[in-house]
Amino acid sequence: MDPLDQLLAERACERVILDFVHRLDLGEPTTVAELFTEDGTWEWPEGERLVEGRDALRTYFGSRPADRLSRRMMANVLVTVDSPATATATSYFATYRVDGHTGGITPARAPVQVGNYEDTFRRVGDTWLLASRTLHLPFGGPTPRQ
């Protein structure tokens, strides 16, 4: 690949990674599904969860509690472009989250999750989309109530 095309592909995939957490935390969670291919998957092997297809993803991400307050910190995003139409990425995250939020400032706590995502991307037309996202969670606990 041309170095500029590779750089643009890396940036487009990184943007999807960041857009994912932005939509979950500050946007409309059901729209996360639009960042996946039609046959995209989200998997959490330790929780034995596998969600397949955009409609199922829309339902899954839309089922988060309405009173949930969350912020995800993303770091160490490493995208590898494998071809003009495929890429992979690893990114690290920490999730701060409480349920029962009614407004105002919430006292700071340790993150409830720290882990990494392993992603595969596929270019559909001019758009890079998640073909699969696998969540690895070496540190985790229950979501506290405020």
Side-chain angles (χ1 to χ4, degrees):
M1 281 182 72
D2 172 84
L4 181 57
D5 289 337
Q6 182 172 338
L7 182 64
L8 291 171
E10 288 172 3
R11 179 62 186 119
C13 293
E14 182 180 349
R15 176 67 188 222
V16 171
I17 290 167
L18 299 176
D19 199 10
F20 180 98
V21 297
H22 183 265
R23 290 177 186 214
L24 278 179
D25 291 341
L26 300 173
E28 177 54 48
T30 58
T31 68
V32 167
E34 305 311 314
L35 300 173
F36 285 83
T37 59
E38 287 290 336
D39 62 346
T41 61
W42 185 91
E43 182 177 10
W44 181 354
E46 293 298 321
E48 298 181 10
R49 295 182 199 165
L50 176 63
V51 183
E52 299 179 86
R54 240 190 223 158
D55 289 338
L57 288 161
R58 190 174 294 108
T59 299
Y60 177 81
F61 289 112
S63 69
R64 71 182 259 140
D67 64 354
R68 176 166 285 170
L69 172 66
S70 64
R71 294 293 184 271
R72 288 165 183 81
M73 306 298 132
M74 299 298 299
N76 303 337
V77 177
L78 178 61
V79 176
T80 302
V81 179
D82 301 313
S83 77
T86 62
T88 58
T90 299
S91 55
Y92 292 75
F93 68 89
T95 303
Y96 298 83
R97 181 171 65 209
V98 297
D99 286 344
H101 182 70
T102 58
I105 296 175
T106 298
R109 297 182 173 121
V112 296
Q113 296 178 330
V114 177
N116 64 286
Y117 294 120
E118 297 292 333
D119 298 323
T120 64
F121 294 89
R122 192 165 56 230
R123 188 173 178 176
V124 178
D126 291 333
T127 305
W128 285 89
L129 297 170
L130 284 161
S132 68
R133 168 159 274 192
T134 303
L135 179 144
H136 298 279
L137 195 61
F139 303 97
T143 299
R145 290 206 56 84
Q146 190 169 17

